[in-house]
Short mmCIF file of all heavy atoms in Angstrom, two decimals:
data_model
loop_
_atom_site.label_atom_id
_atom_site.label_comp_id
_atom_site.label_asym_id
_atom_site.label_seq_id
_atom_site.Cartn_x
_atom_site.Cartn_y
_atom_site.Cartn_z
N VAL A 405 4.96 -8.08 15.23
CA VAL A 405 5.43 -7.12 14.11
C VAL A 405 4.25 -6.32 13.67
O VAL A 405 3.03 -6.79 13.45
CB VAL A 405 6.14 -7.94 12.89
CG1 VAL A 405 7.32 -8.69 13.35
CG2 VAL A 405 5.17 -8.84 12.33
N LEU A 427 8.42 -5.88 7.13
CA LEU A 427 7.87 -6.89 8.09
C LEU A 427 8.25 -8.25 7.49
O LEU A 427 8.63 -9.11 8.21
CB LEU A 427 6.43 -6.76 8.15
CG LEU A 427 5.76 -5.52 8.84
CD1 LEU A 427 4.29 -5.54 8.96
CD2 LEU A 427 6.39 -5.20 10.18
N LEU A 428 8.15 -8.39 6.13
CA LEU A 428 8.34 -9.70 5.39
C LEU A 428 9.97 -9.93 5.63
O LEU A 428 10.21 -11.18 6.01
CB LEU A 428 8.00 -9.49 3.95
CG LEU A 428 8.07 -10.69 3.07
CD1 LEU A 428 7.26 -11.82 3.48
CD2 LEU A 428 7.88 -10.35 1.58
N THR A 431 10.48 -11.13 9.26
CA THR A 431 10.16 -12.39 9.76
C THR A 431 10.99 -13.53 9.12
O THR A 431 11.10 -14.55 9.68
CB THR A 431 8.59 -12.69 9.36
OG1 THR A 431 8.37 -12.32 8.06
CG2 THR A 431 7.66 -11.74 10.36
N GLN A 432 11.38 -13.28 7.91
CA GLN A 432 12.34 -14.25 7.16
C GLN A 432 13.65 -14.34 7.93
O GLN A 432 14.16 -15.36 8.11
CB GLN A 432 12.59 -13.73 5.76
CG GLN A 432 11.89 -14.48 4.71
CD GLN A 432 12.44 -13.85 3.46
OE1 GLN A 432 12.30 -12.75 3.13
NE2 GLN A 432 13.11 -14.72 2.69
N LYS A 436 13.59 -16.00 15.29
CA LYS A 436 12.29 -16.40 16.02
C LYS A 436 11.46 -17.33 15.05
O LYS A 436 11.49 -17.20 13.77
CB LYS A 436 11.50 -15.17 16.49
CG LYS A 436 12.08 -14.37 17.52
CD LYS A 436 11.80 -14.99 18.90
CE LYS A 436 12.54 -14.20 19.82
NZ LYS A 436 12.20 -14.70 21.20
N GLN A 437 10.61 -18.03 15.53
CA GLN A 437 9.82 -19.04 14.72
C GLN A 437 8.34 -18.73 14.69
O GLN A 437 7.68 -19.26 13.92
CB GLN A 437 9.96 -20.52 15.26
CG GLN A 437 11.38 -21.02 15.21
CD GLN A 437 11.89 -21.09 13.73
OE1 GLN A 437 11.19 -21.62 12.92
NE2 GLN A 437 12.95 -20.41 13.52
N ALA A 438 7.93 -17.67 15.56
CA ALA A 438 6.52 -17.40 15.51
C ALA A 438 6.32 -15.76 15.57
O ALA A 438 7.05 -15.10 16.20
CB ALA A 438 5.89 -18.12 16.72
N PHE A 439 5.28 -15.34 14.93
CA PHE A 439 5.04 -13.86 14.84
C PHE A 439 3.56 -13.58 14.84
O PHE A 439 2.78 -14.37 14.25
CB PHE A 439 5.60 -13.38 13.57
CG PHE A 439 7.08 -13.59 13.31
CD1 PHE A 439 7.38 -14.83 12.67
CD2 PHE A 439 8.01 -12.81 13.87
CE1 PHE A 439 8.80 -15.16 12.61
CE2 PHE A 439 9.35 -13.12 13.76
CZ PHE A 439 9.78 -14.27 12.95
N ILE A 440 3.23 -12.60 15.56
CA ILE A 440 1.86 -11.98 15.54
C ILE A 440 1.88 -10.77 14.61
O ILE A 440 2.78 -10.00 14.83
CB ILE A 440 1.37 -11.65 17.10
CG1 ILE A 440 1.44 -12.87 17.89
CG2 ILE A 440 0.01 -10.98 16.86
CD1 ILE A 440 1.09 -12.51 19.34
N VAL A 441 1.12 -10.92 13.62
CA VAL A 441 1.34 -9.87 12.58
C VAL A 441 0.17 -8.80 12.51
O VAL A 441 -1.00 -9.22 12.13
CB VAL A 441 1.31 -10.56 11.16
CG1 VAL A 441 1.63 -9.62 9.95
CG2 VAL A 441 2.38 -11.74 11.15
N ILE A 447 -0.43 -10.23 3.59
CA ILE A 447 1.04 -10.30 3.69
C ILE A 447 1.40 -11.69 4.13
O ILE A 447 2.58 -12.25 3.87
CB ILE A 447 1.61 -9.17 4.64
CG1 ILE A 447 3.14 -9.21 4.62
CG2 ILE A 447 1.21 -9.35 5.97
CD1 ILE A 447 3.83 -8.76 3.31
N LEU A 448 0.42 -12.44 4.87
CA LEU A 448 0.84 -13.67 5.46
C LEU A 448 1.19 -14.72 4.34
O LEU A 448 1.86 -15.62 4.55
CB LEU A 448 -0.50 -14.19 6.22
CG LEU A 448 -0.23 -13.92 7.77
CD1 LEU A 448 -0.37 -12.42 8.05
CD2 LEU A 448 -1.37 -14.58 8.65
N HIS A 449 0.53 -14.58 3.13
CA HIS A 449 0.74 -15.39 1.98
C HIS A 449 2.22 -15.40 1.56
O HIS A 449 2.89 -16.55 1.48
CB HIS A 449 -0.17 -14.99 0.85
CG HIS A 449 0.13 -15.79 -0.42
ND1 HIS A 449 -0.23 -17.27 -0.43
CD2 HIS A 449 0.46 -15.52 -1.70
CE1 HIS A 449 0.10 -17.71 -1.70
NE2 HIS A 449 0.54 -16.65 -2.47
N GLN A 450 2.79 -14.25 1.42
CA GLN A 450 4.19 -14.21 1.26
C GLN A 450 5.12 -14.66 2.28
O GLN A 450 6.12 -15.32 2.10
CB GLN A 450 4.68 -12.82 0.79
CG GLN A 450 4.17 -12.32 -0.54
CD GLN A 450 4.53 -13.30 -1.73
OE1 GLN A 450 5.67 -13.76 -1.72
NE2 GLN A 450 3.56 -13.53 -2.54
N MET A 451 4.70 -14.33 3.57
CA MET A 451 5.54 -14.81 4.69
C MET A 451 5.60 -16.38 4.76
O MET A 451 6.51 -16.90 4.96
CB MET A 451 4.89 -14.21 5.99
CG MET A 451 5.03 -12.80 6.26
SD MET A 451 4.22 -12.14 7.70
CE MET A 451 4.87 -10.46 7.77
N GLN A 452 4.42 -16.95 4.52
CA GLN A 452 4.26 -18.46 4.52
C GLN A 452 5.17 -18.86 3.33
O GLN A 452 5.87 -20.02 3.54
CB GLN A 452 2.86 -18.87 4.44
CG GLN A 452 2.35 -18.97 5.74
CD GLN A 452 0.79 -18.81 5.81
OE1 GLN A 452 0.18 -18.34 4.81
NE2 GLN A 452 0.19 -18.81 7.03
N LYS A 453 5.09 -18.28 2.29
CA LYS A 453 5.80 -18.84 0.99
C LYS A 453 7.36 -18.62 1.17
O LYS A 453 8.19 -19.65 0.86
CB LYS A 453 5.46 -17.92 -0.15
CG LYS A 453 4.39 -18.53 -1.07
CD LYS A 453 4.15 -17.65 -2.24
CE LYS A 453 4.55 -18.31 -3.55
NZ LYS A 453 4.12 -17.52 -4.67
N GLN A 454 7.77 -17.60 1.96
CA GLN A 454 9.24 -17.31 2.00
C GLN A 454 9.88 -18.01 3.17
O GLN A 454 10.99 -18.28 3.12
CB GLN A 454 9.41 -15.77 1.96
CG GLN A 454 9.01 -15.22 0.60
CD GLN A 454 9.50 -13.79 0.43
OE1 GLN A 454 10.41 -13.39 1.08
NE2 GLN A 454 8.95 -13.17 -0.70
N ALA A 455 9.12 -18.25 4.30
CA ALA A 455 9.73 -18.90 5.47
C ALA A 455 8.58 -19.78 5.90
O ALA A 455 7.91 -19.57 6.91
CB ALA A 455 10.18 -17.95 6.55
N PRO A 456 8.32 -20.98 5.25
CA PRO A 456 7.19 -21.85 5.43
C PRO A 456 7.13 -22.55 6.75
O PRO A 456 6.02 -22.84 7.31
CB PRO A 456 7.12 -22.89 4.24
CG PRO A 456 8.43 -22.64 3.44
CD PRO A 456 9.18 -21.48 4.03
N GLY A 457 8.30 -22.71 7.36
CA GLY A 457 8.31 -23.56 8.56
C GLY A 457 7.89 -22.61 9.77
O GLY A 457 7.66 -23.17 10.92
N LYS A 458 7.77 -21.43 9.65
CA LYS A 458 7.41 -20.48 10.83
C LYS A 458 5.90 -20.34 10.93
O LYS A 458 5.14 -20.69 10.04
CB LYS A 458 8.01 -19.18 10.61
CG LYS A 458 9.65 -19.27 10.52
CD LYS A 458 10.30 -17.89 10.56
CE LYS A 458 11.83 -18.03 10.59
NZ LYS A 458 12.51 -16.79 10.68
N THR A 459 5.56 -19.81 12.22
CA THR A 459 4.04 -19.69 12.40
C THR A 459 3.74 -18.18 12.40
O THR A 459 4.45 -17.33 13.06
CB THR A 459 3.82 -20.23 13.82
OG1 THR A 459 4.22 -21.66 13.85
CG2 THR A 459 2.32 -20.06 14.19
N TYR A 460 2.77 -17.74 11.63
CA TYR A 460 2.25 -16.45 11.52
C TYR A 460 0.91 -16.34 12.07
O TYR A 460 0.00 -16.97 11.46
CB TYR A 460 2.33 -15.96 10.04
CG TYR A 460 3.64 -16.31 9.44
CD1 TYR A 460 3.87 -17.41 8.75
CD2 TYR A 460 4.72 -15.40 9.69
CE1 TYR A 460 5.14 -17.61 8.15
CE2 TYR A 460 6.08 -15.60 9.15
CZ TYR A 460 6.19 -16.83 8.49
OH TYR A 460 7.37 -17.14 7.93
N ILE A 461 0.64 -15.47 13.00
CA ILE A 461 -0.67 -15.40 13.57
C ILE A 461 -1.25 -13.98 13.34
O ILE A 461 -0.59 -12.99 13.70
CB ILE A 461 -0.63 -15.69 15.18
CG1 ILE A 461 0.11 -16.95 15.42
CG2 ILE A 461 -2.07 -15.55 15.73
CD1 ILE A 461 0.69 -16.90 16.81
N PRO A 462 -2.39 -13.81 12.67
CA PRO A 462 -2.91 -12.50 12.39
C PRO A 462 -3.26 -11.88 13.66
O PRO A 462 -3.96 -12.47 14.49
CB PRO A 462 -4.06 -12.60 11.44
CG PRO A 462 -4.19 -14.05 11.16
CD PRO A 462 -3.21 -14.95 12.10
N ALA A 463 -2.92 -10.60 13.87
CA ALA A 463 -3.38 -9.85 15.04
C ALA A 463 -4.88 -9.77 14.96
O ALA A 463 -5.54 -9.56 13.84
CB ALA A 463 -2.78 -8.37 15.07
#
Side-chain angles (χ1 to χ4, degrees):
V405 297
L427 297 182
L428 184 62
T431 53
Q432 251 186 297
K436 293 279 178 181
Q437 294 301 306
F439 303 91
I440 299 172
V441 182
I447 188 71
L448 270 65
H449 178 60
Q450 287 306 317
M451 288 176 171
Q452 268 145 3
K453 262 179 114 169
Q454 296 194 15
K458 297 188 177 183
T459 304
Y460 308 97
I461 308 157

